[in-house]
Structure formats: C-alpha cells, structure tokens
Amino acid sequence: MRRMKKAFAVAAACGLCAAAVLTGCQKKEREVVIYTNADDEAIEAMKGALDGGGYEGKYILQSFGTSELGGKLLAEGANIEADMVTMSSFYLDSAQETNHMFQDLTFETKSLAEYPAFYTPITAQEGTILVNTQVLKENNLPMPTCIRDLADPAYAGLVSVTDVKSSSTAWLLIQALVSAYGEEGAEEVLAGIYENAGDHIESSGSAPLKKVRAGEVAVGFGLRHQAVADKESGLPVDYADPVEGNFSLTESVAVIDKGEKSNPLAMEMAECIIKNGRPELLKTYPLAVYEGERGDSANKSAYPMVFPEKLTVQLLEKHQQISENAKAGAQ
C-alpha cells in the first residue's frame, strides 16, 4: 500500500511538473507593433488613449519621418513589421493601391467626410505663416498676409521653409500656391521664397517654427496648431493665415492585413485611439473630423481650403518637381 501511495505521489508530482512545463511553453501575447509619422503631441495622445484603454505594455510604438515611413509602406507592403500604422492619408491610399495591404476597419467612426473602408483620420492639420513679432519689429518689417509676401526681397535672409522632398508640411504651402497662382505662378513665387530663405530651407517640418521661435528668422511656414500653442505660451510667436488658404492634410490609422498572422489586438487598438484619443487630440488639432466634435473656435483658421485634386503620391511628386525647378531658379 505504501508503494502504491508513493507511486501515486510521484505521478502527481510529475503531472504538476508537466503542467508547469506546458504553462511555461505557452506563447506570450504578441505585442502590437505601431509605426507612426505623427508629431509628439499626437503620439502622447495616442499613448494616453491606449494605456487608459487597458493596452499598456501590449504595444511597441516606433516613430518615422513621413517620407521614410511612406517609402517603407510602398516597398514592403504587408511584409512590413508593423501591425498598425498612423500615417498621412495620401500615402495610405497609394500603399493600398500598390500593395493591397490593409484590412477594412471593423468599427464605425461616423466621420464628417467619406473615407476608404481601410482607414479613418486621427488628425487634420493645417499650414500657416509663422511670425516672430520681435524680429519683425527690429527689422521694421510688415506683417505678412499671404505666402507670396515671403518672396518679397524685404524678407531676404529672414525666411525659413521646409523642403517638400523631405516633409509633407511643405506640401501645404505648395498646394496653396498652385491653387492660387497655377503651377507656373507657384514656381515663380517659390523661387523668390527659396532665394530669401537661403540656408534656411529645412528637412524637418518643425524646423521653421524652431527658427522663428529662436529669432533666427522673422517669418516661416509650418503647422498652424504649433504656432497657436507657442503664442498662447507667451513666446514672441504669432501666425498669419494666408489669403491663398489654410490647406490641410489628414493623418489616419490603418491595420495591416497579414492574413492568419494578423494581430487581432491591432484592430482593437485602432478603435481605441479613435474613440478614446480624439478628445485629447482636439485640444491640439482643433479641426473636427467626426460627428459631435467641436474644436476650440479660437483656434480655427481664417481660410480653410481643400486642394481640388485628389492627393496622391503621384501629385506630391509632381509638386516636388515644381519645388526643384524653383530651387534652380533661385540660384
């Protein structure tokens, strides 16, 4: 009898060990990899929404420049490491057309405008003219009212803009010029702006604001919400909505279609960002994109505009060539 009890005890112990081994071999829930081109304010709002929604520690978020991430989407397709991306909408359109790489979203958003089934906006961002009021006063310069003013020789050496080949922020400026003056007129104005900017043609969309903020230049072009924040914080930064129009770009969330390897949590997190993150996002990006939203009226632009053609990578490349021609004309 003792031998039988001992045998049972050994068997039970072996069973517990086997259970422990099996438990140890169970796969850990795979973290969702998120690639984004969003700026810091949007990233913090998305993280806050995800962490508050119970997804803390369940995702890895990596930040890229717009052109870099756009290149990865077009080159890698569904083989990209990411499970979810937040990205300029026109790049998502082109990536889907080229690679058919995104899942249709499974949640309803009630957006104000119509968007493809595979993405929905997280932010809408506008461009505007940036101004350092102290530098303007010191140099006895007038407050600009339009983008064309930045080509005035009076501002020579005191202008900072972004190169459209490296940042989509500059595309907002070029869209405004093409819409107002046509392609040839836009090239002419750009040549004057580039001549005034000289070494202040930047690769980062936020660089012109940093130079305006530091007083290195008097005027520039950048994202409107960032200038609004600087002005409200008491810095000598102001902004002038250009009469050519405050053009905007949306950045949207999309989920990669990896077939059986798709991470189901990615779709849940995309929904969480939209449903829980938008209230915080609206504080920085005041343009309403969903039903029931109300941005801060004080932060709404004077001349909101939408480019008449569909925004695509091909259109961007066409406008990049206008920019390159303008650079050559400025030399």
Side-chain angles (χ1 to χ4, degrees), residues 39-101:
D39 55 33
D40 291 342
E41 297 98 330
I43 287 174
E44 288 306 308
M46 289 190 290
K47 284 182 176 179
L50 291 173
D51 293 349
Y55 296 106
E56 186 173 2
K58 296 182 180 181
Y59 64 91
I60 300 170
L61 194 149
Q62 293 181 253
S63 181
F64 297 85
T66 300
S67 297
E68 182 183 6
L69 181 52
K72 289 180 73 67
L73 290 171
L74 293 171
E76 299 176 24
N79 294 320
I80 197 168
E81 181 188 9
D83 300 296
M84 180 175 80
V85 295
T86 77
M87 179 56 171
S88 300
S89 301
F90 68 89
Y91 261 119
L92 296 178
D93 284 321
S94 295
Q96 181 75 338
E97 184 178 340
T98 302
N99 298 316
H100 306 288
M101 60 184 291

Side-chain angles (χ1 to χ4, degrees), residues 2-322:
R2 287 180 180 177
R3 289 181 179 177
M4 287 186 68
K5 287 182 178 179
K6 185 176 182 180
F8 281 131
V10 171
C14 288
L16 288 172
C17 289
V21 170
L22 286 172
T23 301
C25 289
Q26 286 179 351
K27 289 184 179 179
K28 179 185 175 183
E29 191 175 58
R30 186 163 62 89
E31 292 170 314
V32 171
V33 178
I34 305 171
Y35 283 180
T36 182
N37 75 324
D39 55 33
D40 291 342
E41 297 98 330
I43 287 174
E44 288 306 308
M46 289 190 290
K47 284 182 176 179
L50 291 173
D51 293 349
Y55 296 106
E56 186 173 2
K58 296 182 180 181
Y59 64 91
I60 300 170
L61 194 149
Q62 293 181 253
S63 181
F64 297 85
T66 300
S67 297
E68 182 183 6
L69 181 52
K72 289 180 73 67
L73 290 171
L74 293 171
E76 299 176 24
N79 294 320
I80 197 168
E81 181 188 9
D83 300 296
M84 180 175 80
V85 295
T86 77
M87 179 56 171
S88 300
S89 301
F90 68 89
Y91 261 119
L92 296 178
D93 284 321
S94 295
Q96 181 75 338
E97 184 178 340
T98 302
N99 298 316
H100 306 288
M101 60 184 291
F102 301 116
Q103 301 178 43
D104 283 354
L105 300 179
T106 59
F107 55 92
E108 188 177 354
T109 62
K110 295 184 179 179
S111 57
L112 294 174
E114 187 174 345
Y115 297 97
F118 62 90
Y119 71 69
T120 193
I122 57 167
T123 64
Q125 304 179 39
E126 291 180 309
T128 197
I129 298 169
L130 314 170
V131 176
N132 184 302
T133 53
Q134 287 183 354
V135 178
L136 276 186
K137 185 176 181 181
E138 290 167 3
N139 289 273
N140 197 28
L141 292 170
M143 184 78 164
T145 61
C146 62
I147 298 172
R148 191 173 196 143
D149 285 346
L150 305 189
D152 188 326
Y155 295 96
L158 294 172
V159 176
S160 180
V161 292
T162 309
D163 189 343
V164 71
K165 292 201 77 172
S166 58
S167 173
S168 59
T169 300
W171 200 15
L172 299 171
L173 179 150
I174 295 177
Q175 285 179 43
L177 292 179
V178 171
S179 177
Y181 309 118
E183 292 181 4
E184 290 185 7
E187 185 179 316
E188 181 182 348
V189 174
L190 269 178
I193 292 173
Y194 289 156
E195 188 170 346
N196 279 347
D199 294 335
H200 299 305
I201 301 175
E202 313 295 342
S203 59
S204 166
S206 60
L209 177 62
K210 291 177 181 177
K211 289 198 169 182
V212 167
R213 184 187 292 156
E216 292 184 48
V217 297
V219 294
F221 187 90
L223 295 179
R224 191 177 189 280
H225 70 272
Q226 294 177 332
V228 170
D230 272 14
K231 182 178 180 178
E232 289 181 347
S233 69
L235 292 171
V237 173
D238 204 347
Y239 51 93
D241 289 333
V243 295
E244 295 96 344
N246 298 96
F247 283 76
S248 63
L249 290 171
T250 59
E251 293 183 356
S252 297
V253 62
V255 178
I256 312 297
D257 186 355
K258 298 188 175 186
E260 294 180 354
K261 295 182 179 179
S262 297
N263 192 328
L265 278 182
M267 190 66 71
E268 292 182 21
M269 290 187 188
E271 182 175 10
C272 179
I273 287 172
I274 299 303
K275 294 193 173 177
N276 298 340
R278 282 294 300 164
E280 186 64 27
L281 288 164
L282 273 171
K283 294 177 183 178
T284 305
Y285 312 91
L287 293 180
V289 293
Y290 294 105
E291 291 179 11
E293 290 186 340
R294 290 185 180 179
D296 184 350
S297 59
N299 290 343
K300 290 183 179 178
S301 62
Y303 308 105
M305 296 278 285
V306 177
F307 198 71
E309 294 180 54
K310 180 181 178 181
L311 301 184
T312 64
V313 172
Q314 290 73 28
L315 182 63
L316 172 61
E317 291 171 349
K318 183 180 181 181
H319 288 178
Q320 286 174 336
Q321 188 57 53
I322 292 173

